[in-house]
Structures are given as C-alpha cells and as structure tokens.
Amino acid sequence: MDYVKSGNGKMPLISLLAILSISLTINLPGLAVSPMLSKLHHLFHSSELESQLVTSLPNLIMFPVVLIAGKIATPSRQTAVLAIGLLTFLLGGVGCFFAESMVTLIILGCIVGVGCGLVVPIAAGAISEWFGGQARQSDLGLKSTTSNAMVIIANLYVGWVVAYSWHAAFAVYLIPIIPLCLLPFMTQKYIKSKRIVNQTPTAQTSSDSDNNVFHFQGKVSLRMLIMLILLYLILTYATTSISYYAPFIMDHFKMNTTQIGVVTAMYYLMCSVTGAMVGKLKRLFGPQVLFICLGLCAAGLLTIGFTHNFIIYLIASAVTGFGYGIIQPIIYNKTTYIAPSRKAGTTYFGYVLSANYVAIMLVPFVDGGARHLFGSTSPGFEFVFSGVVVIGLLIWGLIERKNYVFAVNPASPAPTPAEEVKG
C-alpha cells in the first residue's frame, strides 16, 4: 500500500485521494454552469437577475446547511452525513437533465445546494483531523486546487456543450459519483486501521497535538473567527464577479460562449495552480504575501471593468485568480489554528466556509443595489465596484497587519505562543 506523510506519521494515499475527491463537488453549485447564464437568459426570456438565481439561490440554501453540517458531522456521524450529502447532490443533478423551465432549474439547484452544503465542512475538516504541520498546509492547498480545477473543467465543458445542448451542460452535477465510490477509503474505521502513527513526538507533531499550545482560545478565538469570515466573505464576493458578470459583459461585446468559458476557466486555473504551490509562493513573496495578493485581485477586477477585449479579460482573470488562489488556502490553514482545538476544526470550517456561499449568493443583490445607487449604465460597473471593495480590504489588512488573520510567517503556518497571547 502507498502512503503519504501526515505530519505525525503516514496515511494511506488512497485515503488522501478519497478525502480530496470530496472537494470536486464543493464549488460546483451554480458556478459550474455560470457560462450558460446568458444562454438561459435568452432561452427562457428571463431577466438577468432571474438567470443569476440559478447560481445564487443554491448558495443561499447552502449557508444554513453548511453550519448545520459543521455541528453534526462528528467523527461517528461523518460517513453518514457525507453519504447523504453526496446522494442528495446527485439526485438534484440528475433532475436537471429533465428540467424544462427556469423555476424547475432553480428548485433542482437548491436540492444540489443542500447536498453540497452537507459535505463542505467535511472536505476541509477531514484534512484538519488527520493531517498536521506542513503536511496539513500542503493538503489544504491541494484541496483548493482540486475544487478549483473541477470548476475549470466544468466551465470549459459547459461553455462548449451549451452551444449544442443546454441540458447536457448539467452533466457536471454527476461528479458526486466519484467520492461516493471512494467513500469506503475515508471512513474512521478504515483510516484508523491503516494509518501509521509516529511513536516518538517530533517538533512538528507536538505543535499539532490536541493540547491548546498553538490554538487561540475564548474571546480571542471568536474575534479571529469573525475577522477571518469577513475577509473570506468580502474577497469571495468581489472576485466572484468574474463568474457572475463575465457572461453578460462578454455577451454585450459580442463574444461567444466558448470565449466566456475560457475567461472564467482561466480564473479557476490560476486558483488551482497557486493552491498547489502556496508554500513556495508564500516563501517567494514573504510576510507581505496577503497584501500583494489583495492588490493583484483589485488590479485584475478594475482592468476588466474598464476594458472590453478578450485577451485583456483573459490576463486580468488570471491575475485575479492568482491572488485569490494564494489567499484561499492560507485562510483554510488559519482556520485550523483559530479553532480552540483540532476537534473543533470541522465546526470552525463550517463557519468559515459558509462565508463562501453567502458571498456567492449576495453578488447580484449587492451589485444590483450599488448599480442603482450610483445610477451607472456601464457594462463593467460590477467589476469596478468589486475592485474598489478589494482596495478597502487591502486598507483594512494594512491597518491590522500585526493581527494573525493578516500576518503570514512563510516558514510556518502555525502561530507562535507569543502571537497567541498578542491575539
């Protein structure tokens, strides 16, 4: 049997692959079919907002479900919750093949959202539970890479196939079949019987033990959690403009669905690449990595808002994805240490990851309100507004630069005892 390092011993490679396969599903509701929003808009003669509900409502449904799953997905119930979630996702996805109205698509999308919401905290919580130290940081980066890579494939596929059959685009919602097949390899019983645990603690393993030496506690933990949620929510809201509005701005400038799929896929491609290399990129950019990445996200969004050229859109989308792709696994890893203990990790991941889906749901409503407030008629308004929002995040980060939420130590993902006291 092949093994991989777990930070405190070794884990079966098949178990790591099984856990990572959960992440194939977590970004799919709504976002996977975003390149076809303009197609649905014309097909059903719906408003822009009605088309966007196919993306936003599943994520609204996911918000409370993710919170509930974070609470109920204890080690003894984890497999059952995961199986129910994946089967529910698959059921909603199959139904989309037979939908003939926008209302039906929205309802089935919500069913998909319920299923996905049940598995989201487990996708990150299982890594936090079984891995520690640098291995955990690396695997959380791979989790980000896996989820974003799936959206790349889905966007390219949907952008191509929707020209022939919009029903066929929903084949991407059949992905839960993969983690369902691998489910036996990620059960508590299987992993405990097959893993190899170091008998002699090392410096790395001791820093990730179940004692609270490197975990924030009490009010400090709660304050850090709120800050991390706000950072993730606002940044995700801003960068999701690419999935929501690229189809409409590119359609406005007479670009086809294949080009739309390529631009949105480029964003997720860069998220995937940087997620897999987050450790090296942290060392390259140093302690200022978060601020550099926020600056890149703002620059990419503003560029899309002020231009209307396919190649420029492609580059700007890549720049935005590069920045977001580094920040995302950093946020995941900080969640592990902000939680009072490793056992509380799944619950805290439920809180943090729910921000992702709230952000996706809020996009059309916040941007629509902002457009009305400013009376703008520019097709790129949403990108400009989102870029300004990220600049606001950058300013906040610079003010709080000594706080663990924004401070990054390239040498270690964990806070030191001194940082814990200061927090």
Side-chain angles (χ1 to χ4, degrees), residues 19-20 47 110 134 155 181 225-226 255 324 337 404 420:
I19 292 170
L20 290 175
S47 68
C110 290
Q134 294 295 335
N155 274 262
C181 291
L225 174 64
I226 292 171
M255 299 178 203
Y324 184 81
Y337 296 103
Y404 176 67
E420 183 176 353

Side-chain angles (χ1 to χ4, degrees), residues 24 32 146 148-159 172 175 265 268:
L24 292 171
T146 302
N148 289 311
M150 188 62 243
V151 179
I152 296 169
I153 296 170
N155 274 262
L156 289 173
Y157 168 75
V158 171
V172 295
I175 290 299
Y268 291 104

Side-chain angles (χ1 to χ4, degrees), residues 49-214:
L49 178 60
E50 287 173 328
S51 301
Q52 289 171 335
L53 288 178
V54 175
T55 298
S56 62
L57 276 188
N59 289 281
L60 173 61
I61 296 295
M62 287 177 69
F63 169 56
V65 178
V66 169
L67 294 179
I68 293 169
K71 288 287 188 180
I72 66 174
T74 58
S76 62
R77 298 174 182 168
Q78 193 175 90
T79 302
V81 173
L82 182 58
I84 292 170
L86 292 171
L87 287 170
T88 303
F89 190 127
L90 186 60
L91 178 65
V94 171
C96 290
F97 284 99
F98 306 98
E100 294 295 343
S101 71
M102 186 67 78
V103 172
T104 305
L105 283 176
I106 291 172
I107 292 172
L108 289 169
C110 290
I111 294 174
V112 168
V114 170
C116 189
L118 288 172
V119 309
V120 163
I122 300 173
I127 294 175
S128 179
E129 178 183 358
W130 296 114
F131 295 86
Q134 294 295 335
R136 177 193 290 156
Q137 176 181 270
S138 175
D139 292 334
L140 285 171
L142 288 175
K143 173 201 172 298
S144 178
T145 295
T146 302
S147 60
N148 289 311
M150 188 62 243
V151 179
I152 296 169
I153 296 170
N155 274 262
L156 289 173
Y157 168 75
V158 171
W160 167 73
V161 81
V162 73
Y164 305 97
S165 170
W166 66 271
H167 276 112
F170 289 98
V172 295
Y173 282 170
L174 303 182
I175 290 299
I177 292 173
I178 297 175
L180 277 170
C181 291
L182 294 172
L183 193 61
F185 301 106
M186 56 180 127
T187 63
Q188 294 277 324
K189 182 179 179 180
Y190 181 86
I191 294 177
K192 286 181 179 179
S193 66
K194 301 296 183 182
R195 66 174 178 160
I196 300 172
V197 180
N198 289 339
Q199 298 301 314
T200 304
T202 63
Q204 184 179 2
T205 61
S206 63
S207 70
D208 286 294
S209 64
D210 282 334
N211 60 36
N212 294 321
V213 175
F214 291 95

